[in-house]
Amino acid sequence: DGSCTGITYLRLDIHDMQQGLTFDENILAFYGASAPTCWNEIALIDTNVTAIFFTGSSGGGGVYAAARRFSVMGCTFDNNLGGEHCFRSQMMEKGVIQHSLFKRAALNKNNLTIRAPTFAGIGVAIPAGSYTEKVVVSDNKFEGNTNVWTTDSGPQNGIEDERVRDCVWERNWWTAGSGTTLCLRLEATQRVTLRNNLFDVSAAGEKASVRIQFINTAGVPVPDDNRVYNNTFFSSTADADFVAVDIDTEPTNTKIKNNLGYAPNDSAHILLQGAGGGGQDASNNSSTAQVGATSPGFVSGTPVNPADFQITVGSYAIGAGADGLKVFEDFFGNIRDWSTPDADIGFYAYT
């Protein structure tokens, strides 16, 4: 009938193709009433999808998926700068993307993009009013290269009514490439939480890490109640454009707390830019002065790997945070001690 349920793809090596794997919602729409259910309970485990190439008028990609209960664990997605996106989710409900590597998407495409189905519905399998929701993106590495936006979540453009809500991005590691202008864009998302992530934009063309924005004209609500907690933002290189978190003029009720930034060689540096459209709550983050001139006391003076960014005794980040955020662990799985006042800021809890 065009759909399937309960399939595990284990230890596949998919390479030198225009499209690696596809679970296309338009196929379900084609079958209509004979395909009454969306792709469901799909697992992609310990699989490599590499060397995607472009042919004809469309670019292909590593994975294109619209599914419920979709699991991605321990995989590598490397487009070798070909095709389009390494991984494009056009719908995901109760999904997990974990412990995977995403790199070398095509120019102007994303290593990972999490989108949503049209709110009007697609055939019988995806009814009107469907969201992408309840998705956890954790413990991954996203390597920037020549593509401008490394990861993205929200509508595919400003004229589509596609809605993303109730997702968590945690314990991920972003590195930048020469073409990187932004690590993660949230467009028109609702109740998305970013916590315990590491953003190293040292090699970026433009040193912006997170942007919460709104350009949609299709009826999608403005971004609301998104949360940015206990992340670490870093650049080692000389420049004049370090912005850790950029909030557009429309997002409401955004919370930005307990974030650490350090860009000692960037002459124009700020942790938070923009006040949003109301209800913004920002506190206990690195100040502009600290971002530019106060060492947080990393383990290494030239940090490269996540362990290098752990803070040491005497760091101003220790005890500088706001309590009560319910961020119970750090990037490394250490338990954060909420029984005493003043949490640490950044992705690491000093122990």
Side-chain angles (χ1 to χ4, degrees):
D1 62 2
S3 63
C4 62
T5 297
I7 295 182
T8 296
Y9 297 86
L10 177 64
R11 300 192 183 99
L12 303 182
D13 187 12
I14 302 169
H15 58 89
D16 296 289
M17 302 181 71
Q18 183 178 2
Q19 185 72 52
L21 286 172
T22 301
F23 302 90
D24 194 334
E25 73 279 14
N26 295 301
I27 294 176
L28 303 179
F30 172 81
Y31 280 98
S34 63
T37 59
C38 187
W39 320 101
N40 187 31
E41 297 179 358
I42 307 298
L44 187 59
I45 310 296
D46 196 17
T47 286
N48 299 323
V49 183
T50 61
I52 302 300
F53 59 81
F54 180 97
T55 60
S57 60
S58 61
V63 174
Y64 180 103
R68 295 186 172 93
R69 299 173 182 85
F70 196 106
S71 300
V72 178
M73 299 180 181
C75 298
T76 295
F77 303 94
D78 178 1
N79 276 21
N80 195 29
L81 307 181
E84 292 191 3
H85 306 287
C86 294
F87 192 110
R88 173 176 173 175
S89 171
Q90 198 57 46
M91 174 197 166
M92 191 174 290
E93 181 184 293
K94 297 183 179 178
V96 174
I97 301 174
Q98 290 183 323
H99 299 285
S100 295
L101 172 63
F102 300 79
K103 64 180 184 178
R104 297 198 296 179
L107 185 67
N108 297 324
K109 300 300 178 179
N110 307 123
N111 293 16
L112 171 65
T113 181
I114 296 180
R115 302 178 180 176
T118 176
F119 207 58
I122 302 172
V124 179
I126 303 177
S130 294
Y131 291 80
T132 280
E133 59 183 342
K134 302 172 184 174
V135 178
V136 175
V137 182
S138 70
D139 304 283
N140 303 290
K141 185 180 183 186
F142 303 106
E143 294 184 5
N145 199 283
T146 56
N147 52 321
V148 291
W149 296 346
T150 309
T151 54
D152 176 85
S153 187
Q156 60 185 294
N157 55 47
I159 59 173
E160 302 292 339
D161 188 352
E162 301 169 349
R163 307 189 184 191
V164 177
R165 67 182 184 184
D166 298 318
C167 299
V168 175
W169 296 65
E170 63 179 344
R171 298 188 304 274
N172 300 291
W173 175 23
W174 278 263
T175 60
S178 61
T180 304
T181 63
L182 183 64
C183 292
L184 172 60
R185 184 187 76 133
L186 300 181
E187 159 65 15
T189 56
Q190 313 284 312
R191 299 187 300 275
V192 171
T193 297
L194 314 179
R195 63 192 183 200
N196 290 329
N197 298 291
L198 174 61
F199 298 85
D200 182 354
V201 295
S202 297
E206 295 180 22
K207 293 172 175 55
S209 293
V210 174
R211 180 175 300 135
I212 302 176
Q213 70 175 46
F214 186 71
I215 59 172
N216 196 273
T217 61
V220 176
V222 300
D224 183 66
D225 200 15
N226 295 293
R227 305 174 186 196
V228 185
Y229 294 158
N230 284 102
N231 302 283
T232 293
F233 304 90
F234 175 75
S235 174
S236 64
T237 50
D239 216 321
D241 56 359
F242 182 88
V243 179
V245 182
D246 185 11
I247 309 296
D248 213 343
T249 56
E250 294 86 0
T252 54
N253 303 310
T254 311
K255 299 174 180 63
I256 309 100
K257 296 189 176 187
N258 292 8
N259 298 286
L260 186 153
Y262 190 43
N265 300 309
D266 198 291
S267 60
H269 46 263
I270 191 169
L271 191 132
L272 174 61
Q273 176 174 276
Q280 183 162 298
D281 183 6
S283 70
N284 300 83
N285 303 298
S286 297
S287 68
T288 298
Q290 288 170 331
V291 171
T294 305
S295 170
F298 293 142
V299 168
S300 172
T302 54
V304 175
N305 297 305
D308 299 336
F309 291 89
Q310 296 179 10
I311 55 176
T312 56
V313 63
S315 172
Y316 79 85
I318 297 173
D323 293 316
L325 301 187
K326 306 297 189 295
V327 182
F328 298 111
E329 297 180 346
D330 71 1
F331 180 95
F332 300 95
N334 300 314
I335 302 299
R336 293 186 181 272
D337 185 3
W338 296 107
S339 63
T340 57
D342 301 318
D344 302 336
I345 67 173
F347 83 140
Y348 173 67
Y350 178 75
T351 55

